[in-house]
Amino acid sequence: MAHRTTVADGVLVVHKEGGWTSHDVVAKVRGLLGGAKVGHAGTLDPAATGVLPLLIGKATRIAEYLVGWDKEYHAVLRLGETTDTQDATGTVLERVDTTGVSETALQDVVARFRGAQKQLPPMYSAVKVAGRALYKSARAGQTVERSERDIVIHALDVLAVNGRDITLRVVCSKGTYIRTLCADMGQALGVGGHLLSLERRRVGDLTIEQASTVEQVAAQAAIGTVNQHIRSMDSVLDALPSVTLSAAQASRVLHGSPVEVDADRAGAAASPVRLKDERGRLLAIGRYDSQRSQQIKVDKVLVDTESLN
């Protein structure tokens, strides 16, 4: 019988296994945590494995501050096979002999795909055009005109070559489709290719070494230790600058009201800041007012007043 422990607000790093949708994981963990509010940051395709950050309780309010994090993957690119979905779940459209692909040619193509670039979202994706998800059009046999997106491949390295299967380490910006990267690299090599398998190793500073499988979360919930594996919102957001508030300022912030601060932060309005009380407790996320540089407006209140008593 599961312990009735009050579940902490924060981020639980789950190691998603193959065959689960991200929604499946959320629903399962919600049940394990007694119906606690659970969301996720950064969808993984069902066939993909690895890091899936789950937002527990009030941490569902901070999703927008996490989605911009860079991500690291281990991906296997299978050369010589083009599929309609750009991954191994699709139908093979073309097969090409890969014996002519040299190591030099591979390294040249890898180098070309590093850095800032534009990427065309795949048809089999949740990207919406004119209000309709592209994958719905794709399943209906339609190809929709879509715009390229700006992405950055921060790192792209060949980890192993096993015949026509190339294991890659990819560190990339948000919005990058690894299967499109694989398909584009295969095309650049003249033989086509698709994403054979994908493991997400890191989201921001949340790593696969920190992650628990759903089975492990179930065991933790059963003995009441799951909170030991939930990172606080403050630690997850520690890359954001923080401002310490007086008691009077903290009271205003908890009611969503703006506060005046000593520092003049003209031009800093685009960057969110953590708002903390004198005891170091995270109360809210705010932003400097673009018109009044010594005023901070509240974006999200992250605690209930009664929880601070």
Side-chain angles (χ1 to χ4, degrees):
M1 182 177 177
H3 287 227
R4 293 297 179 184
T5 305
T6 300
V7 181
D9 299 314
V11 177
L12 179 64
V13 188
V14 169
H15 185 161
K16 189 186 88 66
E17 298 176 23
W20 292 70
T21 67
S22 299
H23 178 75
D24 289 339
V25 176
V26 166
K28 180 65 175 179
V29 171
R30 183 186 296 120
L32 292 172
L33 301 185
K37 195 170 185 180
V38 181
H40 67 80
T43 302
L44 274 178
D45 287 341
T49 64
V51 173
L52 181 66
L54 295 190
L55 311 178
I56 312 298
K58 294 182 182 65
T60 53
R61 302 176 189 174
I62 67 171
E64 67 185 88
Y65 309 108
L66 311 187
V67 293
W69 283 349
D70 69 335
K71 300 172 178 67
E72 181 176 339
Y73 297 91
H74 284 182
V76 177
L77 158 60
R78 170 159 288 179
L79 293 175
E81 287 184 358
T82 302
T83 73
D84 58 352
T85 59
Q86 301 181 334
D87 63 16
T89 67
T91 301
V92 176
L93 303 176
E94 185 180 19
R95 286 186 172 90
V96 175
D97 180 27
T98 63
T99 54
V101 177
S102 67
E103 182 179 345
T104 300
L106 175 62
Q107 292 295 346
D108 286 347
V109 165
V110 166
R112 281 166 48 192
F113 278 88
R114 295 186 183 118
Q117 58 201 271
K118 293 188 179 293
Q119 187 182 69
L120 188 67
M123 279 301 303
Y124 282 91
S125 68
V127 173
K128 290 186 177 180
V129 174
R132 189 184 194 204
L134 287 174
Y135 71 84
K136 293 183 178 179
S137 298
R139 288 173 181 168
Q142 302 167 349
T143 300
V144 176
E145 186 174 337
R146 53 213 190 272
S147 301
E148 291 183 320
R149 294 182 164 192
D150 291 316
I151 64 163
V152 181
I153 304 296
H154 300 291
L156 180 59
D157 304 298
V158 176
L159 299 181
V161 177
N162 183 16
R164 58 184 176 152
D165 294 339
I166 316 298
T167 302
L168 302 167
R169 171 182 173 265
V170 186
V171 180
C172 57
S173 65
K174 69 172 184 176
T176 302
Y177 284 92
I178 304 300
R179 51 198 160 100
T180 299
L181 174 67
C182 287
D184 290 346
M185 290 176 65
Q187 186 176 33
L189 284 163
V191 295
H194 70 269
L195 174 66
L196 183 65
S197 64
L198 182 68
E199 178 184 65
R200 187 155 67 191
R201 304 281 303 175
R202 179 177 60 79
V203 176
D205 69 348
L206 306 178
T207 67
I208 200 162
E209 289 78 17
Q210 302 165 5
S212 301
T213 64
V214 170
E215 186 177 347
Q216 288 171 329
V217 174
Q220 295 158 9
I223 61 174
T225 62
V226 71
N227 284 351
Q228 297 174 21
H229 301 271
I230 296 177
R231 282 188 54 177
S232 72
M233 290 184 282
D234 194 31
S235 75
V236 169
L237 296 170
D238 64 1
L240 300 181
S242 66
V243 174
T244 300
L245 306 173
S246 67
Q249 289 174 323
S251 179
R252 287 182 58 80
V253 161
L254 289 174
H255 291 91
S257 300
V259 291
E260 299 288 333
V261 293
D262 293 335
D264 187 331
R265 290 296 301 272
S271 176
V273 294
R274 290 174 292 157
L275 302 178
K276 305 172 81 167
D277 67 10
E278 292 172 324
R279 292 172 57 181
R281 296 176 295 188
L282 179 64
L283 305 180
I285 304 295
R287 294 178 194 270
Y288 286 92
D289 190 314
S290 58
Q291 304 300 317
R292 302 176 61 183
S293 59
Q294 289 183 285
Q295 184 180 86
I296 297 177
K297 290 184 173 181
V298 177
D299 266 6
K300 300 279 180 71
V301 176
L302 301 177
V303 296
D304 298 324
T305 315
E306 56 269 20
S307 68
L308 295 176
N309 297 331

